[in-house]
Amino acid sequence: DSGVTQTPKHLITATGQRVTLRCSPRSGDLSVYWYQQSLDQGLQFLIQYYNGEERAKGNILERFSAQQFPDLHSELNLSSLELGDSALYFCASSARQATNYGYTFGSGTRLTVV
Amino acid sequence: DQQVKQNSPSLSVQEGRISILNCDYTNSMFDYFLWYKKYPAEGPTFLISISSIKDKNEDGRFTVFLNKSAKHLSLHIVPSQPGDSAVYFCAASLTGANNLFFGTGTRLTVIP
């Protein structure tokens, strides 16, 4: 158990729908990162929050949004889902804002859009 | 634009032999490099890292080599064990950056 909790583990939904993925960071970590891993792709950075504030945006679609709550858990909202959004979505957390020391990943949410 | 590349999607090695996983990068400003290991149904876990001021870092059976002039790093696993079978991701970061840049991964299979 890495200490980073992601729910749900699996999600199957139809095109056009909206889903919310949830992440609880490791205790004491203030930064939360969201990554997407599509088939045969590396981990693509989506967005980072630090202590409730958005700090960095990567290749995140406008249909996607995220937030970090006062208790530091984070949610990734995916709307108007398309078949191509099917992927593994990982959350990671770190104590610091920058990443030179790496971070701890959750086990991911596998999203299947049908 | 993939700034970190792992050109070998898969690698098979006999148990007890050396596994060498390679990674290339394009951004000369990267100053920290990490390797992550990922088992099925789990998230990536940190394995070993190296700062750009070094050319080698060793941790038990795992050694990472960095060749800055070639923008290349490699992970050596000696001796390889069946439990090392996993997907290995190379990652890089910039000082003060807010995210890591990952390669596409190499699936290592260690044959007993």
Side-chain angles (χ1 to χ4, degrees), chain B residues 6-7 12-13 17 20 41 50-52 55 63 81 94 99:
Chain B
Q6 294 175 259
N7 294 318
S12 291
V13 172
R17 307 292 290 267
I20 300 176
I50 187 168
S51 165
S52 60
D55 55 16
T63 303
Q81 299 174 353
L94 300 162
N99 64 283

Side-chain angles (χ1 to χ4, degrees), chain A residues 23-79:
Chain A
C23 169
S24 293
R26 197 176 53 168
S27 177
D29 285 355
L30 298 179
S31 270
V32 171
Y33 308 79
W34 286 97
Y35 278 80
Q36 178 192 55
Q37 185 187 12
S38 302
L39 191 64
D40 294 332
Q41 297 291 312
L43 292 150
Q44 300 294 321
F45 172 66
L46 296 178
I47 197 164
Q48 180 216 3
Y49 280 83
Y50 177 80
N51 204 19
E53 294 186 6
E54 181 184 305
R55 288 297 186 184
K57 261 186 174 179
N59 300 320
I60 188 166
L61 300 172
E62 287 193 10
R63 301 183 284 109
F64 297 180
S65 64
Q67 53 184 326
Q68 186 179 30
F69 295 86
D71 66 353
L72 301 177
H73 91 271
S74 178
E75 293 181 357
L76 178 68
N77 300 296
L78 314 176
S79 61

Side-chain angles (χ1 to χ4, degrees), chain B residues 9-53:
Chain B
S10 63
L11 173 68
S12 291
V13 172
Q14 207 71 32
E15 181 179 3
R17 307 292 290 267
I18 184 172
S19 295
I20 300 176
L21 295 97
N22 294 305
C23 177
D24 297 295
Y25 61 95
T26 58
N27 190 338
S28 59
M29 298 301 291
F30 285 143
D31 56 5
Y32 210 78
F33 302 90
L34 308 91
W35 285 93
Y36 281 80
K37 180 168 75 172
K38 182 183 179 306
Y39 291 118
E42 295 182 12
T45 55
F46 171 75
L47 186 58
I48 191 170
S49 62
I50 187 168
S51 165
S52 60
I53 63 173

Side-chain angles (χ1 to χ4, degrees), chain A residues 15 36 38 61 63-64 81-87 89 113:
Chain A
T15 54
Q36 178 192 55
S38 302
L61 300 172
R63 301 183 284 109
F64 297 180
L81 285 167
E82 302 174 359
L83 296 177
D85 296 327
S86 296
Y89 291 85
V113 182

